[in-house]
Amino acid sequence: MNPGIILYGPPAVGKDTITRCLEALHERYALFPRLKAGRGRTNGYRATTPAEIEELRRRGDVLWEDQRQGATYAIDRSRLTARLAEHVPVVHLGQVGGIDAVTGAIPDTRWVVVFVWCPREMVEVRLRNRGIEDPAEALRAWDAAPLISDRADLTINTLLYDPEDAARQIHEYVTAIG
């Protein structure tokens, strides 16, 4: 089975951009789009309904879920396992509990945890550039995200590294471990 990558960090630190650069760098990398039921952007997610997430929950297929910004996000074991068989999935997470849930649920996979971070001031600029009218909730998520440098295989400050450099660092690490 392939290794997996967890890009952990609060909103607007560069997880989407780094993932696109990884996918451009090598075809083995592929975003694992989490399920999303609720309002907000759907790019990078698999849109679903609360009823569908409830059905996955009932079957024991939900590895992790969280609610924020008026939506429910979930990771389903069956799709993640299928993605691991074909690619090196890149999973985006913003909560430490999600890291533990994913790595604990599929323990025979070597998970590379990358802490993606940048200063809050940069996040504010990025949110404005995205056209987010009320960035308060995203900034609260930034404020609430614990620093995990001690738990991460790599830490990338996206103020210091451009997305291509970040993707190369991750690729080199993944390649070195097999």
Side-chain angles (χ1 to χ4, degrees), residues 7 22 25 27 30 38 81 88 90 129 164-165 168 172:
L7 295 185
L22 277 167
L25 187 62
E27 70 272 356
T81 302
V88 175
V90 181
N129 289 343
E164 291 84 8
D165 287 337
R168 276 192 292 280
E172 288 170 8

Side-chain angles (χ1 to χ4, degrees), residues 2-5 27-31 83-84 86-90 174:
N2 286 311
I5 298 171
E27 70 272 356
R28 73 188 291 206
Y29 301 108
L31 172 67
R83 182 62 56 106
L84 279 160
E86 300 169 2
H87 297 283
V88 175
V90 181
V174 170

Side-chain angles (χ1 to χ4, degrees), residues 5-167:
I5 298 171
I6 294 174
L7 295 185
Y8 166 84
V13 294
K15 296 183 298 286
D16 288 332
T17 308
I18 291 170
T19 300
R20 284 191 298 276
C21 290
L22 277 167
E23 291 172 331
L25 187 62
H26 199 285
E27 70 272 356
R28 73 188 291 206
Y29 301 108
L31 172 67
F32 176 77
R34 292 181 297 156
L35 292 162
K36 180 178 181 179
R39 65 180 179 86
R41 74 181 184 121
T42 56
N43 186 33
Y45 297 100
R46 288 180 288 138
T48 190
T49 65
E52 289 176 37
I53 291 177
E54 178 56 38
E55 176 59 23
L56 289 169
R57 232 185 265 122
R58 188 188 64 69
R59 292 193 327 243
D61 199 27
V62 174
L63 298 180
W64 173 253
E65 73 177 273
D66 65 297
Q67 290 81 32
R68 62 182 166 76
Q69 300 174 338
T72 299
Y73 302 83
I75 296 175
D76 50 331
R77 177 191 315 269
S78 56
R79 288 289 287 265
L80 184 54
T81 302
R83 182 62 56 106
L84 279 160
E86 300 169 2
H87 297 283
V88 175
V90 181
V91 179
H92 295 181
L93 289 169
Q95 301 81 22
V96 174
I99 296 170
D100 296 334
V102 170
T103 60
I106 309 177
D108 58 336
T109 296
R110 172 58 167 98
W111 290 99
V112 175
V113 177
V114 182
F115 176 34
V116 182
W117 183 87
C118 71
R120 190 178 199 274
E121 298 77 23
M122 179 58 73
V123 169
E124 291 172 353
V125 169
R126 290 176 180 175
L127 290 170
R128 277 195 306 274
N129 289 343
R130 285 185 184 176
I132 305 291
E133 291 183 25
D134 182 15
E137 194 162 359
L139 291 171
R140 279 192 297 278
W142 189 95
D143 293 335
L147 305 177
I148 65 156
S149 296
D150 58 330
R151 293 189 55 185
D153 297 298
L154 293 170
T155 296
I156 296 174
N157 180 337
T158 57
L159 180 64
L160 303 177
Y161 295 100
D162 68 32
E164 291 84 8
D165 287 337

